[in-house]
Amino acid sequence: EMEAKYTRKMQALRDEMDLRRKTELHELEERKNTQISELMGNHEGAFGAIKNYYNDITAKNLTLINLLKEQVEDLKKKETVLEKEKAEVLLQNKELTGPLQETQELVAELQKKLVHYDRDKEALMNSKAHLKITQKELKDLQWEHEVLEQRFSKVQAERDDLYQKFTRAITEVQQKTGFKNLLLERKLHGLLSLLEQKEVELSEVVAASNLSPSALSLVSHKLEDVLNSKNATIQDLQLQLARVCKAHNDMLQTFEAKLTAFGIPLDNLGFQPLSFPFPGQ
């Protein structure tokens, strides 16, 4: 019974599937036929459009060919007329060759004269323009000459005034610097003499006092302190003297550079500036 039951179900399923397959095949066939009809319609429309397009082109080409044929005929007629005119013109040219040659020779001669005339005219215009420019340059140079003379007089007066000021300044600075250097050197020599005298006195006192070694050591230390202080003072004075000498020499170099810049020879000073050597030189 189960086998019979399933056999009936299988048969019913097969019938249903066959019916569905036939239905789908029928639908596919209908869609295929519809698409074929549409493609044929589209193709026929496109073929008709192409056919009309090429028919229009063919008609236009035929019209253009006819028009070109007419133009060719007109050109041939014009060519014939031009050949006749050409023959007439050649005949006229032969008749005019002689007068034309004479006229050309006359024109060549006139052109030569015209070239010389234009050249002379251009040279004259250039000379006038150059003369105007030269006159203007002469006026400008005269004006610049007057201005330069005035400036030269002014600069010369300033130079003389500056020369006098520099001369007075260098004289004053030399006097002050020489005096100060002399005072420093005298002070330095005095301190050195005093130091030598103190050393001699100290030696005599040490020799006469018969001090013990400890007392002698204490006195020696104090004496060294005093000597170091005096040496520091001497070094300070020497540094001051070196600064003053350097300032004096720098001032001389600046003064000589200014005189050279203003075009004043150093021999015009009337004296030889002193250049102090530094200590130790």
Side-chain angles (χ1 to χ4, degrees):
E1 292 175 356
M2 288 178 68
E3 185 178 358
K5 180 179 177 181
Y6 281 102
T7 301
R8 290 193 298 273
K9 285 185 178 182
M10 180 68 70
Q11 188 65 38
L13 183 60
R14 284 179 177 175
D15 296 338
E16 183 181 357
M17 295 298 292
D18 287 337
L19 179 62
R20 182 179 297 177
R21 180 176 59 80
K22 290 179 180 180
T23 303
E24 290 179 354
L25 288 174
H26 182 68
E27 290 178 355
L28 287 172
E29 189 72 23
E30 288 182 351
R31 287 200 297 272
K32 181 186 75 172
N33 293 330
T34 302
Q35 289 180 356
I36 290 171
S37 298
E38 290 178 355
L39 288 172
M40 290 178 68
N42 292 332
H43 289 169
E44 288 178 358
F47 178 74
I50 293 171
K51 185 177 180 181
N52 293 329
Y53 174 72
Y54 282 105
N55 287 333
D56 292 339
I57 291 176
T58 304
K60 289 180 181 179
N61 288 335
L62 291 173
T63 304
L64 182 60
I65 290 170
N66 294 326
L67 180 61
L68 290 174
K69 285 181 179 180
E70 294 176 357
Q71 290 179 357
V72 169
E73 291 177 358
D74 292 337
L75 290 173
K76 286 181 178 179
K77 292 178 182 179
K78 290 181 180 180
E79 184 180 1
T80 305
V81 174
L82 289 173
E83 287 292 336
K84 293 179 180 180
E85 292 179 353
K86 178 183 177 182
E88 293 176 357
V89 170
L90 289 174
L91 182 60
Q92 291 178 0
N93 286 338
K94 288 181 180 180
E95 294 176 354
L96 295 174
T97 301
L100 177 62
Q101 187 174 0
E102 295 177 358
T103 306
Q104 287 178 347
E105 292 176 357
L106 180 61
V107 168
E109 186 178 357
L110 291 175
Q111 283 180 347
K112 290 180 181 179
K113 292 181 180 180
L114 181 62
V115 169
H116 290 297
Y117 172 75
D118 291 338
R119 190 178 300 167
D120 295 338
K121 185 178 179 181
E122 185 178 359
L124 180 61
M125 293 177 64
N126 291 333
S127 299
K128 289 182 179 179
H130 186 67
L131 179 61
K132 289 182 179 179
I133 294 172
T134 305
Q135 289 176 350
K136 186 177 182 301
E137 290 179 353
L138 178 61
K139 290 181 180 179
D140 294 339
L141 289 174
Q142 288 176 350
W143 181 77
E144 290 180 0
H145 179 69
E146 292 178 358
V147 173
L148 289 174
E149 282 185 348
Q150 294 177 1
R151 291 177 61 186
F152 175 74
S153 300
K154 184 178 180 182
V155 170
Q156 194 173 15
E158 291 178 354
R159 186 202 66 180
D160 295 339
D161 186 24
L162 185 62
Y163 174 73
Q164 293 176 1
K165 289 181 180 179
F166 269 123
T167 304
R168 290 195 299 269
I170 194 66
T171 304
E172 292 176 0
V173 171
Q174 273 194 332
Q175 292 176 354
K176 292 179 181 179
T177 307
F179 182 70
K180 189 172 183 180
N181 289 342
L182 183 61
L183 290 178
L184 290 174
E185 289 178 357
R186 289 183 178 179
K187 189 174 182 179
L188 181 61
H189 287 303
L191 289 175
L192 291 174
S193 300
L194 182 61
L195 177 61
E196 293 177 356
Q197 183 180 358
K198 293 297 183 182
E199 288 178 352
V200 172
E201 293 178 357
L202 179 61
S203 300
E204 294 177 354
V205 169
V206 169
S209 59
N210 294 325
L211 295 176
S212 62
S214 60
L216 184 60
S217 175
L218 180 61
V219 172
S220 298
H221 284 302
K222 289 183 179 181
L223 181 60
E224 287 179 358
D225 293 337
V226 173
L227 289 176
N228 290 332
S229 176
K230 297 298 181 180
N231 288 330
T233 304
I234 291 171
Q235 290 178 359
D236 186 38
L237 291 173
Q238 288 177 346
L239 288 176
Q240 291 181 15
L241 179 60
R243 292 193 194 99
V244 172
C245 292
K246 186 178 183 305
H248 176 74
N249 294 335
D250 292 342
M251 184 271 298
L252 284 179
Q253 293 178 0
T254 304
F255 176 66
E256 291 176 357
K258 289 291 183 180
L259 290 179
T260 304
F262 280 100
I264 301 173
L266 299 178
D267 298 336
N268 291 347
L269 288 176
F271 61 91
Q272 181 65 32
L274 295 177
S275 178
F276 295 104
F278 296 145
Q281 294 182 348

